[in-house]
Amino acid sequence: MKHLTPLILLACGSFNPITNMHMRLFELARDHLHQTGKYHVIEGIISPVSDNYGKQGLVAAKHRIAMVRLAVETSDWIRVDPWESEQSQWTETLIVLRHHFKELLKSHNIRKLCRDNTWSKEEAADPSIRSSVTDVNIAVRKIASRLKPDKEIIQDGNHMIIKTLSTFKNYIMDFEIGTEFEEDLTGVDGRKCMTCVTWDGDKLLCVQKGEKEDRGWNQWIEGNEMHLEIRACGVKCKQIFKKVQ
């Protein structure tokens, strides 16, 4: 499987109760991914939500876990994981993804699969790029590379709100120009930092002080395009957004 990208299928939900179609979805997804000739599905994980999800008629997590265990008894690659169900509050899918990635890396086989199969040619050739992203899990990087987010910017004097909207995750920055504030990036990359956004001529300059060196971004407009240059640890990437008429 050296030339195939290893994948783990993760399903989050209430599973109240689990059904035959839940199980069938795993099989259909695995068959499709294998047919592409690009991926190898090595495991399926069912992750029921906690009792604090707030869904009306939600059965206690211990019973939903027990039902899923019975449902996967005949499967040699799908399992149930109770971690999400044991949390004291509802947990965002992104946080669940990070948890499972960290847990799976503890397995030598998973670590080897990731090392051998998941780095692009550019990452393999440049250790500085590889080292800068090793703490951002594979699933999040794969999803982020395919997203086409929208940006909505609201300005009232020095008060700005920048909304980044996508099918995967929405993120909102609400700040005053020139005033440092604590930015909670838990839903983005699991970090918090002290952030300050200022004007540099006609560009917005953001500096984010935290565990990552030289982190921040520049943003400016050219005609009908908005340019966003993001940097961290000496690595830069750029996004270009087109104005919606």
Side-chain angles (χ1 to χ4, degrees):
M1 299 298 176
K2 186 174 182 180
H3 301 294
L4 302 181
T5 299
L7 287 181
I8 292 171
L9 301 180
L10 172 68
C12 299
S14 60
F15 300 99
N16 189 51
I18 191 169
T19 67
N20 288 334
M21 187 51 67
H22 286 134
M23 300 296 294
R24 182 63 180 146
L25 287 173
F26 274 93
E27 300 289 347
L28 290 171
R30 183 178 69 165
D31 290 347
H32 171 73
L33 290 165
H34 285 178
Q35 287 172 6
T36 66
K38 298 178 181 179
Y39 307 102
H40 173 54
V41 176
I42 56 179
E43 187 176 27
I45 301 175
I46 297 175
S47 180
V49 298
S50 74
D51 291 340
N52 294 310
Y53 181 57
K55 181 178 179 179
Q56 186 175 6
L58 188 65
V59 175
K62 63 180 181 179
H63 298 307
R64 288 182 285 117
I65 292 291
M67 286 187 285
V68 177
R69 285 200 173 110
L70 289 172
V72 301
E73 276 186 344
T74 58
S75 176
D76 60 357
W77 68 281
I78 305 173
R79 66 180 176 87
V80 61
D81 190 289
W83 180 83
E84 183 182 356
S85 70
E86 295 169 349
Q87 303 310 298
S88 59
Q89 58 187 3
W90 171 74
T91 307
E92 292 183 345
T93 302
L94 184 60
I95 296 174
V96 179
L97 281 169
R98 289 200 182 105
H99 164 77
H100 286 293
F101 179 74
K102 291 177 181 178
E103 290 299 307
L104 291 164
L105 278 184
K106 294 177 182 179
S107 163
H108 171 76
N109 291 334
I110 300 299
R111 185 182 296 276
K112 184 177 186 301
L113 282 168
C114 293
R115 183 176 66 246
D116 291 345
N117 292 279
T118 58
W119 299 100
S120 67
K121 292 179 180 178
E122 292 78 12
E123 289 170 328
D126 189 341
S128 66
I129 296 178
R130 180 165 177 164
S131 64
S132 69
V133 295
T134 50
D135 58 349
V136 178
N137 78 55
I138 293 167
V140 174
R141 287 192 286 117
K142 290 287 187 181
I143 293 170
S145 67
R146 289 165 172 76
L147 287 179
K148 294 183 178 179
D150 293 324
K151 287 279 187 181
E152 181 180 339
I153 301 175
I154 302 170
Q155 181 178 6
D156 182 10
N158 285 330
H159 181 215
M160 294 194 75
I161 300 175
I162 300 178
K163 300 180 180 180
T164 304
L165 310 173
S166 74
T167 55
F168 179 64
K169 178 71 180 181
N170 295 333
Y171 181 68
I172 299 175
M173 283 187 70
D174 189 332
F175 60 92
E176 297 285 334
I177 296 290
T179 301
E180 189 176 59
F181 64 98
E182 184 179 49
E183 186 176 6
D184 188 347
L185 295 160
T186 301
V188 179
D189 63 4
R191 298 182 174 88
K192 292 184 179 181
C193 58
M194 297 306 297
T195 298
C196 186
V197 182
T198 57
W199 285 109
D200 181 13
D202 59 353
K203 296 182 179 181
L204 281 177
L205 172 62
C206 175
V207 176
Q208 297 167 313
K209 299 176 182 177
E211 60 185 278
K212 292 295 181 182
E213 295 182 0
D214 188 32
R215 175 172 178 164
W217 48 261
N218 295 340
Q219 182 175 290
W220 68 95
I221 294 175
E222 294 181 8
N224 288 326
E225 295 182 340
M226 187 189 77
H227 296 250
L228 176 63
E229 185 179 79
I230 305 170
R231 64 185 183 278
C233 302
V235 179
K236 294 182 180 180
C237 67
K238 188 173 182 179
Q239 295 178 325
I240 298 177
F241 297 81
K242 291 186 177 182
K243 185 177 181 180
V244 177
Q245 299 297 333

